[in-house]
PDB file of all heavy atoms in Angstrom:
ATOM      1  N   LYS A   1      60.458-155.295 120.025  1.00 95.00           N
ATOM      2  CA  LYS A   1      59.198-156.035 120.092  1.00 95.00           C
ATOM      3  C   LYS A   1      58.228-155.665 118.958  1.00 95.00           C
ATOM      4  O   LYS A   1      57.088-156.131 118.935  1.00 95.00           O
ATOM      5  CB  LYS A   1      58.522-155.804 121.445  1.00 95.00           C
ATOM      6  CG  LYS A   1      59.277-156.407 122.614  1.00 95.00           C
ATOM      7  CD  LYS A   1      58.495-156.279 123.894  1.00 95.00           C
ATOM      8  CE  LYS A   1      59.238-156.906 125.064  1.00 95.00           C
ATOM      9  NZ  LYS A   1      59.436-158.363 124.891  1.00 95.00           N
ATOM     10  N   ARG A   2      58.678-154.824 118.032  1.00 96.00           N
ATOM     11  CA  ARG A   2      57.800-154.430 116.921  1.00 96.00           C
ATOM     12  C   ARG A   2      58.566-154.374 115.597  1.00 96.00           C
ATOM     13  O   ARG A   2      58.336-153.522 114.751  1.00 96.00           O
ATOM     14  CB  ARG A   2      57.121-153.087 117.214  1.00 96.00           C
ATOM     15  CG  ARG A   2      58.046-151.969 117.646  1.00 96.00           C
ATOM     16  CD  ARG A   2      57.308-150.642 117.771  1.00 96.00           C
ATOM     17  NE  ARG A   2      58.113-149.644 118.436  1.00 96.00           N
ATOM     18  CZ  ARG A   2      59.110-148.970 117.880  1.00 96.00           C
ATOM     19  NH1 ARG A   2      59.405-149.185 116.603  1.00 96.00           N
ATOM     20  NH2 ARG A   2      59.787-148.063 118.574  1.00 96.00           N
ATOM     21  N   ILE A   3      59.457-155.330 115.396  1.00 97.00           N
ATOM     22  CA  ILE A   3      60.185-155.418 114.136  1.00 97.00           C
ATOM     23  C   ILE A   3      59.233-155.899 113.047  1.00 97.00           C
ATOM     24  O   ILE A   3      58.575-156.927 113.183  1.00 97.00           O
ATOM     25  CB  ILE A   3      61.375-156.399 114.256  1.00 97.00           C
ATOM     26  CG1 ILE A   3      62.392-155.887 115.294  1.00 97.00           C
ATOM     27  CG2 ILE A   3      62.036-156.621 112.906  1.00 97.00           C
ATOM     28  CD1 ILE A   3      63.011-154.567 114.952  1.00 97.00           C
ATOM     29  N   THR A   4      59.152-155.154 111.943  1.00 98.00           N
ATOM     30  CA  THR A   4      58.323-155.602 110.812  1.00 98.00           C
ATOM     31  C   THR A   4      59.166-155.901 109.571  1.00 98.00           C
ATOM     32  O   THR A   4      58.645-156.460 108.608  1.00 98.00           O
ATOM     33  CB  THR A   4      57.254-154.551 110.451  1.00 98.00           C
ATOM     34  OG1 THR A   4      57.870-153.378 109.907  1.00 98.00           O
ATOM     35  CG2 THR A   4      56.419-154.183 111.669  1.00 98.00           C
ATOM     36  N   ILE A   5      60.438-155.523 109.593  1.00 96.00           N
ATOM     37  CA  ILE A   5      61.378-155.897 108.534  1.00 96.00           C
ATOM     38  C   ILE A   5      62.637-156.435 109.206  1.00 96.00           C
ATOM     39  O   ILE A   5      63.308-155.705 109.934  1.00 96.00           O
ATOM     40  CB  ILE A   5      61.745-154.705 107.635  1.00 96.00           C
ATOM     41  CG1 ILE A   5      60.498-154.104 106.992  1.00 96.00           C
ATOM     42  CG2 ILE A   5      62.737-155.130 106.561  1.00 96.00           C
ATOM     43  CD1 ILE A   5      60.792-152.946 106.071  1.00 96.00           C
ATOM     44  N   PRO A   6      62.949-157.713 108.995  1.00 95.00           N
ATOM     45  CA  PRO A   6      64.144-158.265 109.642  1.00 95.00           C
ATOM     46  C   PRO A   6      65.422-157.676 109.049  1.00 95.00           C
ATOM     47  O   PRO A   6      65.411-157.116 107.946  1.00 95.00           O
ATOM     48  CB  PRO A   6      64.033-159.765 109.337  1.00 95.00           C
ATOM     49  CG  PRO A   6      63.221-159.838 108.081  1.00 95.00           C
ATOM     50  CD  PRO A   6      62.249-158.692 108.160  1.00 95.00           C
ATOM     51  N   ALA A   7      66.514-157.800 109.790  1.00 93.00           N
ATOM     52  CA  ALA A   7      67.809-157.303 109.320  1.00 93.00           C
ATOM     53  C   ALA A   7      68.206-158.028 108.041  1.00 93.00           C
ATOM     54  O   ALA A   7      67.932-159.215 107.861  1.00 93.00           O
ATOM     55  CB  ALA A   7      68.862-157.505 110.395  1.00 93.00           C
ATOM     56  N   SER A   8      68.859-157.277 107.137  1.00 89.00           N
ATOM     57  CA  SER A   8      69.315-157.857 105.880  1.00 89.00           C
ATOM     58  C   SER A   8      70.582-157.149 105.445  1.00 89.00           C
ATOM     59  O   SER A   8      70.558-155.948 105.140  1.00 89.00           O
ATOM     60  CB  SER A   8      68.233-157.723 104.794  1.00 89.00           C
ATOM     61  OG  SER A   8      68.682-158.222 103.555  1.00 89.00           O
ATOM     62  N   GLY A   9      71.694-157.877 105.444  1.00 87.00           N
ATOM     63  CA  GLY A   9      72.967-157.280 105.061  1.00 87.00           C
ATOM     64  C   GLY A   9      73.328-156.113 105.955  1.00 87.00           C
ATOM     65  O   GLY A   9      73.345-156.230 107.180  1.00 87.00           O
ATOM     66  N   ARG A  10      73.561-154.952 105.342  1.00 85.00           N
ATOM     67  CA  ARG A  10      73.942-153.767 106.128  1.00 85.00           C
ATOM     68  C   ARG A  10      72.744-153.032 106.707  1.00 85.00           C
ATOM     69  O   ARG A  10      72.912-152.050 107.416  1.00 85.00           O
ATOM     70  CB  ARG A  10      74.774-152.810 105.274  1.00 85.00           C
ATOM     71  CG  ARG A  10      74.051-152.233 104.069  1.00 85.00           C
ATOM     72  CD  ARG A  10      75.022-151.465 103.179  1.00 85.00           C
ATOM     73  NE  ARG A  10      74.383-150.904 101.987  1.00 85.00           N
ATOM     74  CZ  ARG A  10      73.869-149.688 101.916  1.00 85.00           C
ATOM     75  NH1 ARG A  10      73.899-148.900 102.972  1.00 85.00           N
ATOM     76  NH2 ARG A  10      73.331-149.251 100.794  1.00 85.00           N
ATOM     77  N   TYR A  11      71.529-153.512 106.392  1.00 88.00           N
ATOM     78  CA  TYR A  11      70.326-152.838 106.880  1.00 88.00           C
ATOM     79  C   TYR A  11      69.845-153.487 108.176  1.00 88.00           C
ATOM     80  O   TYR A  11      69.590-154.700 108.208  1.00 88.00           O
ATOM     81  CB  TYR A  11      69.220-152.893 105.826  1.00 88.00           C
ATOM     82  CG  TYR A  11      69.578-152.185 104.548  1.00 88.00           C
ATOM     83  CD1 TYR A  11      69.926-152.909 103.411  1.00 88.00           C
ATOM     84  CD2 TYR A  11      69.588-150.794 104.481  1.00 88.00           C
ATOM     85  CE1 TYR A  11      70.263-152.265 102.229  1.00 88.00           C
ATOM     86  CE2 TYR A  11      69.929-150.133 103.309  1.00 88.00           C
ATOM     87  CZ  TYR A  11      70.271-150.879 102.185  1.00 88.00           C
ATOM     88  OH  TYR A  11      70.619-150.229 101.024  1.00 88.00           O
ATOM     89  N   PRO A  12      69.699-152.716 109.241  1.00 92.00           N
ATOM     90  CA  PRO A  12      69.245-153.294 110.521  1.00 92.00           C
ATOM     91  C   PRO A  12      67.750-153.580 110.516  1.00 92.00           C
ATOM     92  O   PRO A  12      67.001-153.036 109.693  1.00 92.00           O
ATOM     93  CB  PRO A  12      69.584-152.182 111.527  1.00 92.00           C
ATOM     94  CG  PRO A  12      69.466-150.919 110.723  1.00 92.00           C
ATOM     95  CD  PRO A  12      69.966-151.265 109.346  1.00 92.00           C
ATOM     96  N   ALA A  13      67.316-154.427 111.423  1.00 94.00           N
ATOM     97  CA  ALA A  13      65.882-154.674 111.598  1.00 94.00           C
ATOM     98  C   ALA A  13      65.193-153.381 111.994  1.00 94.00           C
ATOM     99  O   ALA A  13      65.748-152.561 112.737  1.00 94.00           O
ATOM    100  CB  ALA A  13      65.674-155.738 112.672  1.00 94.00           C
ATOM    101  N   THR A  14      63.964-153.193 111.503  1.00 96.00           N
ATOM    102  CA  THR A  14      63.288-151.926 111.771  1.00 96.00           C
ATOM    103  C   THR A  14      61.776-152.086 111.705  1.00 96.00           C
ATOM    104  O   THR A  14      61.254-153.172 111.467  1.00 96.00           O
ATOM    105  CB  THR A  14      63.765-150.838 110.782  1.00 96.00           C
ATOM    106  OG1 THR A  14      63.303-149.567 111.232  1.00 96.00           O
ATOM    107  CG2 THR A  14      63.253-151.113 109.375  1.00 96.00           C
ATOM    108  N   THR A  15      61.077-150.963 111.893  1.00 97.00           N
ATOM    109  CA  THR A  15      59.615-150.921 111.867  1.00 97.00           C
ATOM    110  C   THR A  15      59.169-149.921 110.816  1.00 97.00           C
ATOM    111  O   THR A  15      59.211-148.715 111.036  1.00 97.00           O
ATOM    112  CB  THR A  15      59.057-150.479 113.244  1.00 97.00           C
ATOM    113  OG1 THR A  15      59.573-151.332 114.261  1.00 97.00           O
ATOM    114  CG2 THR A  15      57.533-150.544 113.253  1.00 97.00           C
ATOM    115  N   PHE A  16      58.737-150.417 109.651  1.00 97.00           N
ATOM    116  CA  PHE A  16      58.208-149.550 108.606  1.00 97.00           C
ATOM    117  C   PHE A  16      56.695-149.666 108.471  1.00 97.00           C
ATOM    118  O   PHE A  16      56.060-148.817 107.848  1.00 97.00           O
ATOM    119  CB  PHE A  16      58.840-149.895 107.250  1.00 97.00           C
ATOM    120  CG  PHE A  16      60.204-149.297 107.025  1.00 97.00           C
ATOM    121  CD1 PHE A  16      60.923-149.632 105.886  1.00 97.00           C
ATOM    122  CD2 PHE A  16      60.768-148.405 107.922  1.00 97.00           C
ATOM    123  CE1 PHE A  16      62.183-149.083 105.655  1.00 97.00           C
ATOM    124  CE2 PHE A  16      62.019-147.858 107.710  1.00 97.00           C
ATOM    125  CZ  PHE A  16      62.735-148.204 106.562  1.00 97.00           C
ATOM    126  N   ASP A  17      56.129-150.735 109.015  1.00 98.00           N
ATOM    127  CA  ASP A  17      54.707-151.028 108.828  1.00 98.00           C
ATOM    128  C   ASP A  17      53.935-150.651 110.092  1.00 98.00           C
ATOM    129  O   ASP A  17      54.270-151.114 111.187  1.00 98.00           O
ATOM    130  CB  ASP A  17      54.522-152.506 108.497  1.00 98.00           C
ATOM    131  CG  ASP A  17      55.390-152.914 107.316  1.00 98.00           C
ATOM    132  OD1 ASP A  17      54.922-152.807 106.179  1.00 98.00           O
ATOM    133  OD2 ASP A  17      56.560-153.324 107.549  1.00 98.00           O
ATOM    134  N   HIS A  18      52.902-149.831 109.916  1.00 98.00           N
ATOM    135  CA  HIS A  18      52.183-149.270 111.064  1.00 98.00           C
ATOM    136  C   HIS A  18      50.671-149.335 110.848  1.00 98.00           C
ATOM    137  O   HIS A  18      50.193-149.334 109.713  1.00 98.00           O
ATOM    138  CB  HIS A  18      52.562-147.797 111.261  1.00 98.00           C
ATOM    139  CG  HIS A  18      54.028-147.541 111.381  1.00 98.00           C
ATOM    140  ND1 HIS A  18      54.670-147.423 112.597  1.00 98.00           N
ATOM    141  CD2 HIS A  18      54.991-147.370 110.428  1.00 98.00           C
ATOM    142  CE1 HIS A  18      55.958-147.180 112.389  1.00 98.00           C
ATOM    143  NE2 HIS A  18      56.172-147.151 111.082  1.00 98.00           N
ATOM    144  N   ILE A  19      49.956-149.360 111.962  1.00 98.00           N
ATOM    145  CA  ILE A  19      48.509-149.148 111.957  1.00 98.00           C
ATOM    146  C   ILE A  19      48.225-147.993 112.915  1.00 98.00           C
ATOM    147  O   ILE A  19      48.522-148.077 114.109  1.00 98.00           O
ATOM    148  CB  ILE A  19      47.741-150.415 112.378  1.00 98.00           C
ATOM    149  CG1 ILE A  19      47.935-151.518 111.328  1.00 98.00           C
ATOM    150  CG2 ILE A  19      46.247-150.107 112.554  1.00 98.00           C
ATOM    151  CD1 ILE A  19      47.247-152.832 111.666  1.00 98.00           C
ATOM    152  N   LEU A  20      47.686-146.906 112.366  1.00 98.00           N
ATOM    153  CA  LEU A  20      47.324-145.733 113.152  1.00 98.00           C
ATOM    154  C   LEU A  20      45.809-145.655 113.249  1.00 98.00           C
ATOM    155  O   LEU A  20      45.096-146.128 112.362  1.00 98.00           O
ATOM    156  CB  LEU A  20      47.859-144.458 112.486  1.00 98.00           C
ATOM    157  CG  LEU A  20      49.322-144.451 112.045  1.00 98.00           C
ATOM    158  CD1 LEU A  20      49.674-143.100 111.411  1.00 98.00           C
ATOM    159  CD2 LEU A  20      50.250-144.756 113.197  1.00 98.00           C
ATOM    160  N   TYR A  21      45.316-145.037 114.309  1.00 98.00           N
ATOM    161  CA  TYR A  21      43.866-145.001 114.506  1.00 98.00           C
ATOM    162  C   TYR A  21      43.454-143.791 115.330  1.00 98.00           C
ATOM    163  O   TYR A  21      44.245-143.231 116.098  1.00 98.00           O
ATOM    164  CB  TYR A  21      43.398-146.283 115.198  1.00 98.00           C
ATOM    165  CG  TYR A  21      43.951-146.457 116.607  1.00 98.00           C
ATOM    166  CD1 TYR A  21      43.208-146.090 117.730  1.00 98.00           C
ATOM    167  CD2 TYR A  21      45.235-146.971 116.826  1.00 98.00           C
ATOM    168  CE1 TYR A  21      43.712-146.236 119.018  1.00 98.00           C
ATOM    169  CE2 TYR A  21      45.746-147.116 118.102  1.00 98.00           C
ATOM    170  CZ  TYR A  21      44.979-146.751 119.197  1.00 98.00           C
ATOM    171  OH  TYR A  21      45.492-146.885 120.470  1.00 98.00           O
ATOM    172  N   ARG A  22      42.191-143.395 115.154  1.00 98.00           N
ATOM    173  CA  ARG A  22      41.587-142.400 116.036  1.00 98.00           C
ATOM    174  C   ARG A  22      40.077-142.640 116.045  1.00 98.00           C
ATOM    175  O   ARG A  22      39.496-143.146 115.075  1.00 98.00           O
ATOM    176  CB  ARG A  22      41.916-140.974 115.584  1.00 98.00           C
ATOM    177  CG  ARG A  22      41.114-140.445 114.422  1.00 98.00           C
ATOM    178  CD  ARG A  22      41.498-139.016 114.075  1.00 98.00           C
ATOM    179  NE  ARG A  22      40.564-138.440 113.127  1.00 98.00           N
ATOM    180  CZ  ARG A  22      40.773-137.335 112.427  1.00 98.00           C
ATOM    181  NH1 ARG A  22      41.908-136.667 112.576  1.00 98.00           N
ATOM    182  NH2 ARG A  22      39.859-136.874 111.590  1.00 98.00           N
ATOM    183  N   GLY A  23      39.447-142.310 117.171  1.00 97.00           N
ATOM    184  CA  GLY A  23      38.009-142.485 117.308  1.00 97.00           C
ATOM    185  C   GLY A  23      37.580-143.914 117.553  1.00 97.00           C
ATOM    186  O   GLY A  23      36.386-144.225 117.490  1.00 97.00           O
ATOM    187  N   ILE A  24      38.513-144.800 117.820  1.00 96.00           N
ATOM    188  CA  ILE A  24      38.228-146.211 118.072  1.00 96.00           C
ATOM    189  C   ILE A  24      39.279-146.715 119.057  1.00 96.00           C
ATOM    190  O   ILE A  24      40.365-146.151 119.151  1.00 96.00           O
ATOM    191  CB  ILE A  24      38.261-147.008 116.740  1.00 96.00           C
ATOM    192  CG1 ILE A  24      37.652-148.397 116.914  1.00 96.00           C
ATOM    193  CG2 ILE A  24      39.661-147.069 116.165  1.00 96.00           C
ATOM    194  CD1 ILE A  24      37.427-149.126 115.592  1.00 96.00           C
ATOM    195  N   GLU A  25      38.950-147.772 119.806  1.00 96.00           N
ATOM    196  CA  GLU A  25      39.856-148.278 120.837  1.00 96.00           C
ATOM    197  C   GLU A  25      40.405-149.647 120.447  1.00 96.00           C
ATOM    198  O   GLU A  25      39.703-150.478 119.860  1.00 96.00           O
ATOM    199  CB  GLU A  25      39.133-148.390 122.187  1.00 96.00           C
ATOM    200  CG  GLU A  25      38.649-147.065 122.744  1.00 96.00           C
ATOM    201  CD  GLU A  25      39.780-146.106 123.056  1.00 96.00           C
ATOM    202  OE1 GLU A  25      40.857-146.587 123.482  1.00 96.00           O
ATOM    203  OE2 GLU A  25      39.591-144.888 122.871  1.00 96.00           O
ATOM    204  N   LYS A  26      41.664-149.883 120.797  1.00 96.00           N
ATOM    205  CA  LYS A  26      42.249-151.202 120.589  1.00 96.00           C
ATOM    206  C   LYS A  26      41.608-152.214 121.534  1.00 96.00           C
ATOM    207  O   LYS A  26      41.197-151.868 122.639  1.00 96.00           O
ATOM    208  CB  LYS A  26      43.753-151.175 120.859  1.00 96.00           C
ATOM    209  CG  LYS A  26      44.573-150.536 119.774  1.00 96.00           C
ATOM    210  CD  LYS A  26      46.064-150.911 119.885  1.00 96.00           C
ATOM    211  CE  LYS A  26      46.627-150.619 121.262  1.00 96.00           C
ATOM    212  NZ  LYS A  26      48.035-151.046 121.366  1.00 96.00           N
ATOM    213  N   ALA A  27      41.571-153.474 121.084  1.00 94.00           N
ATOM    214  CA  ALA A  27      41.000-154.542 121.906  1.00 94.00           C
ATOM    215  C   ALA A  27      42.064-155.591 122.240  1.00 94.00           C
ATOM    216  O   ALA A  27      41.789-156.768 122.337  1.00 94.00           O
ATOM    217  CB  ALA A  27      39.835-155.199 121.173  1.00 94.00           C
ATOM    218  N   GLY A  28      43.280-155.147 122.408  1.00 89.00           N
ATOM    219  CA  GLY A  28      44.366-156.074 122.722  1.00 89.00           C
ATOM    220  C   GLY A  28      45.679-155.551 122.178  1.00 89.00           C
ATOM    221  O   GLY A  28      45.771-154.431 121.674  1.00 89.00           O
ATOM    222  N   SER A  29      46.699-156.381 122.259  1.00 92.00           N
ATOM    223  CA  SER A  29      48.032-155.976 121.828  1.00 92.00           C
ATOM    224  C   SER A  29      48.216-156.232 120.329  1.00 92.00           C
ATOM    225  O   SER A  29      47.454-156.967 119.701  1.00 92.00           O
ATOM    226  CB  SER A  29      49.098-156.733 122.625  1.00 92.00           C
ATOM    227  OG  SER A  29      48.919-158.137 122.473  1.00 92.00           O
ATOM    228  N   VAL A  30      49.248-155.627 119.781  1.00 97.00           N
ATOM    229  CA  VAL A  30      49.582-155.806 118.366  1.00 97.00           C
ATOM    230  C   VAL A  30      50.192-157.189 118.159  1.00 97.00           C
ATOM    231  O   VAL A  30      50.990-157.659 118.964  1.00 97.00           O
ATOM    232  CB  VAL A  30      50.583-154.727 117.913  1.00 97.00           C
ATOM    233  CG1 VAL A  30      50.979-154.938 116.455  1.00 97.00           C
ATOM    234  CG2 VAL A  30      50.003-153.339 118.113  1.00 97.00           C
ATOM    235  N   ARG A  31      49.808-157.838 117.063  1.00 97.00           N
ATOM    236  CA  ARG A  31      50.412-159.121 116.692  1.00 97.00           C
ATOM    237  C   ARG A  31      51.249-158.930 115.440  1.00 97.00           C
ATOM    238  O   ARG A  31      50.747-158.469 114.418  1.00 97.00           O
ATOM    239  CB  ARG A  31      49.341-160.182 116.431  1.00 97.00           C
ATOM    240  CG  ARG A  31      49.923-161.517 115.944  1.00 97.00           C
ATOM    241  CD  ARG A  31      48.840-162.538 115.661  1.00 97.00           C
ATOM    242  NE  ARG A  31      49.403-163.782 115.153  1.00 97.00           N
ATOM    243  CZ  ARG A  31      48.679-164.843 114.792  1.00 97.00           C
ATOM    244  NH1 ARG A  31      47.350-164.808 114.894  1.00 97.00           N
ATOM    245  NH2 ARG A  31      49.269-165.937 114.330  1.00 97.00           N
ATOM    246  N   ILE A  32      52.524-159.256 115.528  1.00 98.00           N
ATOM    247  CA  ILE A  32      53.415-159.216 114.373  1.00 98.00           C
ATOM    248  C   ILE A  32      53.826-160.649 114.077  1.00 98.00           C
ATOM    249  O   ILE A  32      54.436-161.312 114.921  1.00 98.00           O
ATOM    250  CB  ILE A  32      54.643-158.333 114.638  1.00 98.00           C
ATOM    251  CG1 ILE A  32      54.204-156.888 114.943  1.00 98.00           C
ATOM    252  CG2 ILE A  32      55.596-158.358 113.449  1.00 98.00           C
ATOM    253  CD1 ILE A  32      55.329-155.983 115.386  1.00 98.00           C
ATOM    254  N   GLN A  33      53.474-161.132 112.900  1.00 97.00           N
ATOM    255  CA  GLN A  33      53.722-162.521 112.529  1.00 97.00           C
ATOM    256  C   GLN A  33      54.999-162.629 111.699  1.00 97.00           C
ATOM    257  O   GLN A  33      55.072-162.116 110.593  1.00 97.00           O
ATOM    258  CB  GLN A  33      52.544-163.071 111.724  1.00 97.00           C
ATOM    259  CG  GLN A  33      52.707-164.505 111.262  1.00 97.00           C
ATOM    260  CD  GLN A  33      52.712-165.477 112.435  1.00 97.00           C
ATOM    261  OE1 GLN A  33      51.860-165.397 113.312  1.00 97.00           O
ATOM    262  NE2 GLN A  33      53.686-166.371 112.455  1.00 97.00           N
ATOM    263  N   GLU A  34      56.011-163.288 112.242  1.00 97.00           N
ATOM    264  CA  GLU A  34      57.228-163.484 111.468  1.00 97.00           C
ATOM    265  C   GLU A  34      56.962-164.472 110.333  1.00 97.00           C
ATOM    266  O   GLU A  34      56.285-165.477 110.514  1.00 97.00           O
ATOM    267  CB  GLU A  34      58.359-164.006 112.362  1.00 97.00           C
ATOM    268  CG  GLU A  34      58.804-163.007 113.415  1.00 97.00           C
ATOM    269  CD  GLU A  34      60.031-163.473 114.174  1.00 97.00           C
ATOM    270  OE1 GLU A  34      60.633-164.504 113.772  1.00 97.00           O
ATOM    271  OE2 GLU A  34      60.390-162.813 115.165  1.00 97.00           O
ATOM    272  N   VAL A  35      57.486-164.155 109.155  1.00 97.00           N
ATOM    273  CA  VAL A  35      57.292-165.009 107.986  1.00 97.00           C
ATOM    274  C   VAL A  35      58.622-165.183 107.258  1.00 97.00           C
ATOM    275  O   VAL A  35      59.551-164.379 107.406  1.00 97.00           O
ATOM    276  CB  VAL A  35      56.249-164.421 107.010  1.00 97.00           C
ATOM    277  CG1 VAL A  35      54.885-164.350 107.666  1.00 97.00           C
ATOM    278  CG2 VAL A  35      56.675-163.043 106.492  1.00 97.00           C
ATOM    279  N   GLU A  36      58.699-166.230 106.428  1.00 95.00           N
ATOM    280  CA  GLU A  36      59.886-166.474 105.630  1.00 95.00           C
ATOM    281  C   GLU A  36      59.961-165.478 104.479  1.00 95.00           C
ATOM    282  O   GLU A  36      58.959-164.939 104.032  1.00 95.00           O
ATOM    283  CB  GLU A  36      59.868-167.904 105.060  1.00 95.00           C
ATOM    284  CG  GLU A  36      59.786-168.996 106.108  1.00 95.00           C
ATOM    285  CD  GLU A  36      58.334-169.330 106.458  1.00 95.00           C
ATOM    286  OE1 GLU A  36      57.429-168.592 106.034  1.00 95.00           O
ATOM    287  OE2 GLU A  36      58.131-170.332 107.159  1.00 95.00           O
ATOM    288  N   TRP A  37      61.171-165.287 103.966  1.00 93.00           N
ATOM    289  CA  TRP A  37      61.429-164.342 102.883  1.00 93.00           C
ATOM    290  C   TRP A  37      60.585-164.651 101.659  1.00 93.00           C
ATOM    291  O   TRP A  37      60.194-163.749 100.909  1.00 93.00           O
ATOM    292  CB  TRP A  37      62.920-164.388 102.539  1.00 93.00           C
ATOM    293  CG  TRP A  37      63.329-163.451 101.452  1.00 93.00           C
ATOM    294  CD1 TRP A  37      63.445-163.734 100.122  1.00 93.00           C
ATOM    295  CD2 TRP A  37      63.690-162.076 101.598  1.00 93.00           C
ATOM    296  NE1 TRP A  37      63.857-162.622  99.429  1.00 93.00           N
ATOM    297  CE2 TRP A  37      64.018-161.592 100.302  1.00 93.00           C
ATOM    298  CE3 TRP A  37      63.774-161.206 102.688  1.00 93.00           C
ATOM    299  CZ2 TRP A  37      64.421-160.279 100.080  1.00 93.00           C
ATOM    300  CZ3 TRP A  37      64.176-159.905 102.457  1.00 93.00           C
ATOM    301  CH2 TRP A  37      64.491-159.443 101.185  1.00 93.00           C
ATOM    302  N   GLU A  38      60.295-165.948 101.415  1.00 93.00           N
ATOM    303  CA  GLU A  38      59.525-166.321 100.232  1.00 93.00           C
ATOM    304  C   GLU A  38      58.114-165.734 100.252  1.00 93.00           C
ATOM    305  O   GLU A  38      57.495-165.564  99.199  1.00 93.00           O
ATOM    306  CB  GLU A  38      59.436-167.846 100.107  1.00 93.00           C
ATOM    307  CG  GLU A  38      60.732-168.547  99.774  1.00 93.00           C
ATOM    308  CD  GLU A  38      61.673-168.648 100.971  1.00 93.00           C
ATOM    309  OE1 GLU A  38      61.211-168.426 102.106  1.00 93.00           O
ATOM    310  OE2 GLU A  38      62.867-168.942 100.756  1.00 93.00           O
ATOM    311  N   ARG A  39      57.599-165.461 101.443  1.00 96.00           N
ATOM    312  CA  ARG A  39      56.259-164.863 101.556  1.00 96.00           C
ATOM    313  C   ARG A  39      56.331-163.354 101.388  1.00 96.00           C
ATOM    314  O   ARG A  39      55.542-162.766 100.656  1.00 96.00           O
ATOM    315  CB  ARG A  39      55.627-165.239 102.895  1.00 96.00           C
ATOM    316  CG  ARG A  39      55.429-166.742 103.035  1.00 96.00           C
ATOM    317  CD  ARG A  39      54.987-167.159 104.427  1.00 96.00           C
ATOM    318  NE  ARG A  39      55.200-168.584 104.606  1.00 96.00           N
ATOM    319  CZ  ARG A  39      54.233-169.490 104.639  1.00 96.00           C
ATOM    320  NH1 ARG A  39      52.974-169.103 104.520  1.00 96.00           N
ATOM    321  NH2 ARG A  39      54.512-170.762 104.779  1.00 96.00           N
ATOM    322  N   SER A  40      57.272-162.726 102.088  1.00 96.00           N
ATOM    323  CA  SER A  40      57.488-161.286 101.957  1.00 96.00           C
ATOM    324  C   SER A  40      58.713-160.889 102.757  1.00 96.00           C
ATOM    325  O   SER A  40      59.139-161.598 103.673  1.00 96.00           O
ATOM    326  CB  SER A  40      56.269-160.505 102.463  1.00 96.00           C
ATOM    327  OG  SER A  40      56.509-159.104 102.370  1.00 96.00           O
TER     328      SER A  40
END
């Protein structure tokens, strides 16, 4: 539910992109927007 890099060839889908925080509270769930390869 938190894939930020889709699978490609021998590389599996994974999570390399993160937002870390302290001293502040989240106001909802994380949104990960799937995009086409041409964008990133």
Side-chain angles (χ1 to χ4, degrees):
K1 293 186 179 297
R2 51 174 168 77
I3 297 298
T4 68
I5 302 181
S8 177
R10 63 188 179 92
Y11 298 105
T14 192
T15 305
F16 279 174
D17 307 271
H18 306 264
I19 294 178
L20 311 180
Y21 64 97
R22 78 179 190 195
I24 193 170
E25 297 297 325
K26 284 197 307 177
S29 57
V30 178
R31 176 181 178 182
I32 300 173
Q33 179 67 47
E34 294 187 8
V35 296
E36 302 88 350
W37 181 265
E38 291 76 15
R39 298 172 197 253
S40 178

